């Protein structure tokens, strides 16, 4: 569903040839690796984690779809001058109010030691991507991981 929608959006952008590229923002997951391999610099997935992710791709169609969307964007959006993208990768999503969050160019944790990301923070970041030129310019064409900021202890 999402991969087919992504393909349709990219095809429509190419056909319409807008004067400015369309902004395409998708929510992915920390279960999807950067297709260019950049995550390996900050995260090494163990055998158990790789097996679980492989299994999820077979038994949960949404996970396989997430993987397919990111792969498609990596291969096809870069060759399309009429669309730019960001694939936001939250950690374990929770219902919580908007708070401080951190953005990382690569994955910071795996699925077994995941942090959390509030849905409100994902929404705030996506809104900033859509409306703030500086934020868009900083993250376009990337796969950032968004994590809720850890509270700093008074002793730290």
């Amino acid at each position: 569903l999402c991969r087919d929608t992504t393909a349709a959006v990219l095809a429509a952008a190419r056909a319409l040839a807008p004067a400015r590229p369309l902004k395409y923002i998708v929510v992915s997951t920390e279960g999807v690796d950067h297709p260019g391999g950049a995550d390996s610099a900050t995260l090494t997935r163990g055998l158990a984690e790789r097996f679980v992710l492989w299994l999820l791709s077979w038994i949960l169609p949404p996970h396989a779809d997430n993987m397919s969307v990111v792969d498609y964007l990596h291969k096809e959006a870069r060759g399309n001058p009429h669309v730019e993208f960001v694939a936001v990768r939250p950690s374990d999503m929770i219902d919580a109010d908007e708070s401080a969050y951190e953005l990382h160019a690569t994955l910071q944790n795996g699925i077994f030691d995941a942090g959390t990301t509030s849905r409100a923070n994902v929404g705030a970041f996506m809104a900033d991507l859509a409306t703030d030129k500086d934020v868009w310019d900083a993250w376009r064409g990337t796969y950032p991981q968004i994590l809720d900021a850890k509270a700093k202890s008074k002793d730290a």
Side-chain angles (χ1 to χ4, degrees):
L1 176 66
C2 294
R3 191 251 178 228
D4 291 347
T5 300
T6 297
V9 168
L10 269 63
R14 191 177 297 279
L16 293 172
R20 289 182 302 164
L22 300 176
K23 293 180 179 179
Y24 192 68
I25 306 166
V26 298
V27 176
S28 187
T29 171
E30 70 188 356
V32 176
D33 291 333
H34 185 295
D39 291 331
S40 63
T42 55
L43 176 71
T44 302
R45 294 193 191 271
L47 181 61
E49 185 169 359
R50 289 192 318 265
F51 175 74
V52 168
L53 289 171
W54 173 82
L55 189 61
L56 289 174
S57 72
W58 279 97
I59 62 174
L60 290 177
H63 183 66
D65 199 25
N66 265 328
M67 293 170 56
S68 183
V69 166
V70 168
D71 187 54
Y72 190 84
L73 286 171
H74 189 74
K75 290 178 181 171
E76 302 297 329
R78 295 184 188 285
N80 188 335
H82 305 295
V83 68
E84 296 175 340
F85 73 92
V86 174
V88 180
R89 298 185 293 173
S91 192
D92 292 350
M93 292 219 292
I94 60 170
D95 290 325
D97 292 334
E98 187 178 338
S99 62
Y101 59 86
E102 302 168 348
L103 298 168
H104 303 276
T106 58
L107 291 177
Q108 302 300 297
N109 52 32
I111 62 171
F112 296 136
D113 60 349
T116 60
T117 309
S118 76
R119 287 177 177 83
N121 285 345
V122 173
F125 178 50
M126 291 175 70
D128 287 345
L129 285 167
T131 61
D132 187 318
K133 181 183 180 328
D134 292 336
V135 174
W136 182 257
D137 289 345
W139 294 102
R140 74 175 164 219
T142 67
Y143 312 87
Q145 183 178 33
I146 179 172
L147 296 167
D148 292 340
K150 293 183 175 90
K152 307 290 184 205
S153 70
K154 293 180 182 178
D155 299 330

